[in-house]
Amino acid sequence: MAITKINVDHIARIEGHGNVHLVIKDGKLESVEMNVVEAVRFFEAMVAGRSFRESSYVCSRVCGICSPTHVVTDLQAIERIFDVEVSERTKLLRQLLIYGSYLQNHASHLFVFAVPDFIGQPSVFPLADIDPALFEQALGLKRLGNDLCTVVGGRSIHPITAVVGGFTSEPARDEYLRLADAMEAQIPFAEAVVDLFNSFAVTEFETRGDLLATVEPGGYPVQSSNTLRFLQAGEEFDSNDRDEHIQEYKVEHSGAYFSKVKSSGRNYMTSALTRINASWDNLSKRAKIAAAKAGLRPPELNPMRNNVAQAVELVDALERCIGYCRELAATYEPGASLPVPYEVKAGRAIGVTEAPRGVAFHGMELDDEGRIVRASIMTPTCQNLANIEDDIRVLASKLLAEGVSEDFIRLEVEKLIRAYDPCLSCSVH
């Protein structure tokens, strides 16, 4: 009996630390383990007993890149408990804040983490010599995301201006117009990024898992909807009912929880790719054209295509944010986004947003003084881990049947993991 092991220890170019181990017997895949080796960070325990006013500042530290998402998700849970309805202006500012993290994350992931896989380089740094103009444009897009988060949130990571009911301060009218012009200038490059990543060859296969995304009639929601859908099963639910539809569970080989669809026991994926599958018809005009040109239409079930989906979302985010900035400038009025009045009371709710990497949940239970009794966070990566593991199984089995080399299998497995854009540090929140 011939036994071969393919081990990828300390997977490179992802957030956090993890390994993947494959065991092959007589030319057939026997087992796959996706190991998260990060230590648990206890954010849910850290906020217990604190005032609701402190929670978003603490929980934003779950992730540097996605910190705006964690702030907004946390605030949404608290506002559902207090029955707070924020103004349309506050909603637009929150959209800008989250889309700033999309620009930061997608540009970093595509050009720092993913692109070396397709140009035969060990890191992004040779790109500075191979194509310095492309390298500088990619950094410029990342800087623009940082700038957007800084102007709206008070700083580029861990925003401080977004609070329950509104914002403590707001950018000046001229800042909105400056940002709009800067984003307009970046759209041609973002469209070229879609073409670039679509030109890279990937192994053709389909995930066996379901797809999860927030949905909204006529919209492409990132923080405006509490409704979620498992696209394959057609199972739709409110975020407050998360625990009736999603089950977290432990595995011995990982420091992070895995997740599955409670009703079916299936793994599932949440990502830019699932958002485009859920809301393709509602992409912005130029993003939809770019997606169609790249052949990215639902149903698209190859997780390797998440790179292209993120590139499409760069176009979508830029186009939307230009409109938001111009609208906010045209309707500018000092103090219009200040927090609305609210009454502190006890209750329980679960907020949901679309982080760059997929759906993020923050559950919150408060006592009648507004102190946190219990918090529950589910990041996109902890929801994706079981599906990543199963996708590796499908991919490696296909490649083994084709008789390719072990080195090629190892590289394709790494490409797949990086295509998910996982944050293993976030998964052990």
Side-chain angles (χ1 to χ4, degrees), residues 110-287:
L110 292 175
F111 285 99
V112 178
F113 296 161
V115 84
D117 282 331
F118 302 102
I119 62 173
Q121 299 293 337
S123 74
V124 71
F125 297 110
L127 184 61
D129 296 322
I130 297 168
D131 193 335
L134 179 64
F135 183 76
E136 182 54 39
Q137 284 179 297
L139 292 181
L141 192 53
K142 168 71 163 64
R143 282 194 297 268
L144 181 56
N146 290 350
D147 191 17
L148 183 55
C149 288
T150 300
V151 169
V152 177
R155 52 190 181 191
S156 61
I157 60 172
H158 312 316
I160 55 174
T161 59
V163 295
V164 173
F167 281 76
T168 58
S169 64
E170 186 181 327
R173 180 188 287 111
D174 289 348
E175 282 287 82
Y176 289 126
L177 297 176
R178 178 185 67 81
L179 285 168
D181 290 344
M183 288 185 284
E184 185 76 56
Q186 285 282 0
I187 286 185
F189 173 64
E191 291 171 326
V193 173
V194 178
D195 294 337
L196 174 65
F197 277 86
N198 187 52
S199 72
F200 295 142
V202 296
T203 300
E204 292 297 331
F205 80 103
E206 293 187 350
T207 186
R208 298 188 292 198
D210 211 321
L211 310 176
L212 178 67
T214 58
V215 292
E216 182 178 50
Y220 195 94
V222 295
Q223 62 87 47
S224 56
S225 175
N226 294 315
T227 303
L228 300 105
R229 182 184 300 148
F230 283 115
L231 305 184
Q232 304 282 62
E235 185 175 324
E236 199 162 288
F237 60 99
D238 185 274
S239 62
N240 277 346
D241 300 322
R242 176 198 66 188
D243 296 342
E244 297 173 22
H245 296 266
I246 296 173
Q247 181 178 343
E248 288 189 300
Y249 61 96
K250 294 180 180 180
V251 293
E252 291 184 359
H253 57 270
S254 173
Y257 283 107
F258 281 31
S259 301
K260 62 185 178 182
V261 183
K262 203 165 189 177
S263 60
S264 65
R266 291 179 71 181
N267 310 313
Y268 66 92
M269 177 185 192
T270 183
S271 63
L273 186 67
T274 65
R275 288 190 288 267
I276 286 179
N277 270 286
S279 303
W280 191 91
D281 286 341
N282 303 319
L283 283 166
S284 68
K285 182 178 179 180
R286 294 177 75 164

Side-chain angles (χ1 to χ4, degrees), residues 1 23 67 86-87 125 143 162 169 194 219 229-230 263 272 282 289 305 314 318 324 369 376 387 389 395:
M1 180 180 292
V23 176
S67 57
V86 300
S87 68
F125 297 110
R143 282 194 297 268
S169 64
V194 178
R229 182 184 300 148
F230 283 115
S263 60
N282 303 319
I289 291 170
R305 297 275 280 169
L314 285 174
L318 289 167
Y324 299 151
E369 294 182 349
S376 169
N387 211 61
E389 193 173 85
L395 173 64

